[in-house]
Amino acid sequence: MMAGLLSQPFVFIDLETTGGSAPVDRIIEIGLKTVVDGDVVDEWESLVNPEKTIPPFIEDYTGISNSMVQDAPLFADISEVFKSKLEGAVFVAHNARFDYSFVKSEFRRLSVPFSAKVLCTVKLSRQLYPQYTKHNMDALIARHNLPAGPRHRAMGDVDSMLAFFRHSIEELGSDLVEDVIGKILKRPSLPSYLPADVLDELPQTYGVYRFYGENDVLLYVGKANNIYQRVMSHFMSDHSTAKGVVMSQSVRRIEWTETAGELGALLLELQQIKTLKPLHNKRSRSVSSPFSYTLEADKYGYFSLKLVQDVDPSCLDQYYGLFKSHKIAEKAIQGINGANELCAKLLGLDRGKGPCFQYKLGRCKGACLAEEDVTRYNLRMQIAMHSLQLKKWPYAGAIAVKERNDFSGKEAIHLIYAWVHLGTVNNDQELDEFNVSDHVQLRQSASRLFDADAYRVMVRFLLTPKRHFEVIEVG
């Protein structure tokens, strides 16, 4: 007899579906086993007529054909029996948010409320066996020598999940497994003004979320690779800052927009922060004309720094750093000087007469007195400033960046030129109709050509290795 958490009912459930999007696709098979004190006390399975055609690749993947579900019951026909088997139990599934979102969507179509504690066996495996990197079901079966039922059929996957669950208890002990499950099941403390099941509605995909407060004031806009996980983190009891706690407890409503990928989420977040100006986003208060430095030779040929605010995007590699204020810019150069022993006068840090104060301390090699070789000094200056050098646009013209979310099927094509987002279209036909030249000319004739925030977003995304996206040069 198991004690505590493990003695309550756990329903191990697996679904087969017509696709990966719960709002659009439908369930075609359900399999479940209810476990109490480690023993199976109930099991049930059923094919389900999805009221839509099963795509050929799903037929190949699951072995479930359209003819097999033609005479199967509709979800509405089995919904009462199905719900009764889930009530009061922990909902257990592999990649549980997927299965749970489909169950929620099916009940929502019937206007039937449904909510449950959710245990994901992927998360359970990651917590119990952190030394491993792969936690998909095939990896668990191979690693733990589990008996494998028919893969990608509902009851076969349920049996594999249950075998992993029992194996973990046997190998690691019920106390450890129970402790980890308790932590996974712990729900964040939601503000009383939010519905208890609001987190259940959130998708596990790329996108942007928005928090609204009293009188529908926009509090915060955030980007997420997983909207559900990111939003949930705002309401965890161990929030890192008092300001974060105050904001999260002020939320009255949550909205979100799904995107095809991370770049789409980054661009949408930036656009909404700048246009909607949320109360708690620092970027909404960012300066429109950041400070930067250029290197200019003095009358003796030594490189000196000039602080500027007008950045020309056509020659970005001639600028160093992007700073919100003169003070922040100067502090950055002081740090560089401390590590490289350059000349404080040439850096603009010393405006007195005679040699710079660094020279008097033995930390300047005499460029301010023309004692250091000019070529050697200029090389040292360039090396020291290299980390701040802005990135020149690496393409001849505009590019189209294609993103696709295989899980949701969502696609987007982002048009970018000189680190500026020109627009986003949904498919190749819209891309053909998009007049890139007009948008480029519009940007070139605008009074503010350079957006520091957009530049940072583009550079961080486009120049980071190992990102998977398709780039097409379009003009």
Side-chain angles (χ1 to χ4, degrees):
M1 176 75 67
M2 294 183 182
L5 183 60
L6 292 179
S7 66
Q8 66 180 283
F10 286 76
V11 175
F12 290 79
I13 183 169
D14 186 75
L15 309 175
E16 303 304 330
T17 65
T18 60
S21 176
V24 176
D25 292 302
R26 303 294 299 272
I27 295 173
I28 58 176
E29 187 179 38
I30 302 171
L32 65 81
K33 289 189 177 183
T34 303
V35 176
V36 178
D37 287 331
D39 298 322
V40 176
V41 298
D42 183 33
E43 59 181 275
W44 181 75
E45 63 182 320
S46 178
L47 290 170
V48 182
N49 185 331
E51 303 178 80
K52 65 184 300 184
T53 302
I54 301 174
F57 77 93
I58 294 292
E59 285 190 323
D60 293 340
Y61 184 72
T62 64
I64 301 173
S65 65
N66 285 287
S67 61
M68 290 171 62
V69 299
Q70 183 176 354
D71 297 323
L74 305 179
F75 184 84
D77 299 330
I78 59 173
S79 61
E80 290 187 12
V81 173
F82 181 42
K83 189 178 182 186
S84 70
K85 293 180 179 295
L86 298 175
E87 286 180 349
V90 177
F91 185 108
V92 187
H94 209 65
N95 291 315
R97 302 304 306 180
F98 175 87
D99 299 85
Y100 187 68
S101 66
F102 268 87
V103 172
K104 288 278 292 185
S105 290
E106 292 286 6
F107 280 119
R108 189 182 299 113
R109 291 185 182 99
L110 301 175
S111 299
V112 175
F114 174 75
S115 182
K117 292 182 178 180
V118 179
L119 174 63
C120 176
T121 49
V122 173
K123 292 182 180 179
L124 183 62
S125 178
R126 285 175 179 157
Q127 294 291 320
L128 294 175
Y129 300 96
Q131 66 271 36
Y132 300 110
T133 56
K134 292 184 178 181
H135 299 273
N136 57 64
M137 187 54 68
D138 289 329
L140 299 191
I141 291 170
R143 181 157 60 237
H144 303 293
N145 195 27
L146 305 176
R151 294 290 287 117
H152 310 306
R153 288 300 299 267
M155 195 58 84
D157 288 344
V158 166
D159 287 337
S160 297
M161 269 192 295
L162 182 53
F164 166 71
F165 186 76
R166 287 170 166 166
H167 170 82
S168 300
I169 294 174
E170 181 179 344
E171 182 175 60
L172 302 175
S174 60
D175 289 345
L176 175 61
V177 174
E178 186 174 67
D179 181 63
V180 171
I181 290 175
K183 291 177 180 177
I184 294 174
L185 294 180
K186 184 179 180 182
R187 299 280 285 183
S189 179
L190 292 176
S192 58
Y193 307 99
L194 288 176
D197 63 348
V198 64
L199 296 180
D200 297 336
E201 309 297 322
L202 299 169
Q204 288 202 94
T205 189
Y206 296 101
V208 169
Y209 58 94
R210 295 169 293 280
F211 290 163
Y212 292 86
E214 288 186 358
N215 301 317
D216 227 25
V217 172
L218 182 59
L219 301 176
Y220 186 78
V221 172
K223 165 260 178 187
N225 288 355
N226 183 314
I227 295 174
Y228 166 77
Q229 290 182 357
R230 186 69 188 92
V231 170
M232 188 171 68
S233 71
H234 283 279
F235 303 111
M236 299 304 288
S237 59
D238 59 349
H239 206 290
S240 58
T241 66
K243 183 178 180 180
V245 172
V246 171
M247 184 193 74
S248 64
Q249 294 302 311
S250 301
V251 178
R252 301 293 187 271
R253 183 168 67 87
I254 303 173
E255 286 185 348
W256 62 90
T257 304
E258 296 182 36
T259 61
E262 185 176 8
L263 180 56
L266 287 166
L267 294 173
L268 181 60
E269 178 197 37
L270 179 64
Q271 180 258 323
Q272 291 194 345
I273 288 174
K274 286 182 175 293
T275 57
L276 302 179
K277 300 189 182 303
L279 193 61
H280 290 285
N281 283 93
K282 291 182 180 179
R283 189 184 284 168
S284 65
R285 298 184 293 275
S286 62
V287 296
S288 57
S289 300
F291 290 87
S292 187
Y293 286 102
T294 59
L295 289 179
E296 296 188 0
D298 69 5
K299 62 181 179 180
Y300 300 109
Y302 290 94
F303 281 150
S304 62
L305 290 184
K306 180 181 179 182
L307 192 63
V308 298
Q309 272 192 283
D310 296 322
V311 176
D312 183 353
S314 67
C315 52
L316 287 180
D317 56 340
Q318 296 180 19
Y319 297 89
Y320 297 83
L322 293 170
F323 310 100
K324 290 185 177 181
S325 68
H326 188 169
K327 183 178 180 180
I328 295 174
E330 190 170 276
K331 185 176 180 180
I333 298 305
Q334 287 172 346
I336 287 177
N337 190 29
N340 295 276
E341 296 189 345
L342 298 168
C343 175
K345 277 187 174 294
L346 294 174
L347 294 176
L349 301 176
D350 184 346
R351 297 171 180 82
K353 295 182 178 180
C356 71
F357 61 82
Q358 291 280 96
Y359 180 82
K360 297 172 185 177
L361 297 174
R363 296 175 186 168
C364 168
K365 302 181 187 300
C368 45
L369 298 174
E371 292 180 359
E372 183 177 1
D373 177 75
V374 65
T375 301
R376 184 174 182 276
Y377 179 82
N378 288 347
L379 180 60
R380 292 201 304 116
M381 173 76 94
Q382 288 175 305
I383 293 172
M385 296 294 293
H386 179 72
S387 63
L388 292 180
Q389 188 173 22
L390 302 190
K391 307 295 184 183
K392 186 176 181 180
W393 179 242
Y395 300 96
I399 62 170
V401 179
K402 288 189 173 184
E403 287 190 303
R404 174 178 170 78
N405 187 322
D406 291 331
F407 180 78
S408 67
K410 200 172 189 64
E411 294 181 324
I413 305 173
H414 311 291
L415 285 301
I416 302 168
Y417 174 69
W419 309 117
V420 173
H421 179 216
L422 303 178
T424 293
V425 297
N426 297 309
N427 51 55
D428 289 331
Q429 180 178 344
E430 291 182 11
L431 177 60
D432 291 339
E433 297 171 355
F434 190 93
N435 194 322
V436 174
S437 297
D438 284 353
H439 283 78
V440 169
Q441 290 174 11
L442 180 64
R443 291 291 179 180
Q444 289 175 333
S445 62
S447 58
R448 295 177 181 175
L449 292 174
F450 185 72
D451 185 322
D453 291 320
Y455 166 82
R456 293 187 183 99
V457 166
M458 305 291 182
V459 167
R460 188 166 63 247
F461 187 87
L462 293 177
L463 300 187
T464 299
K466 297 184 180 180
R467 290 194 186 273
H468 300 290
F469 52 84
E470 181 183 357
V471 174
I472 302 172
E473 297 196 47
V474 294

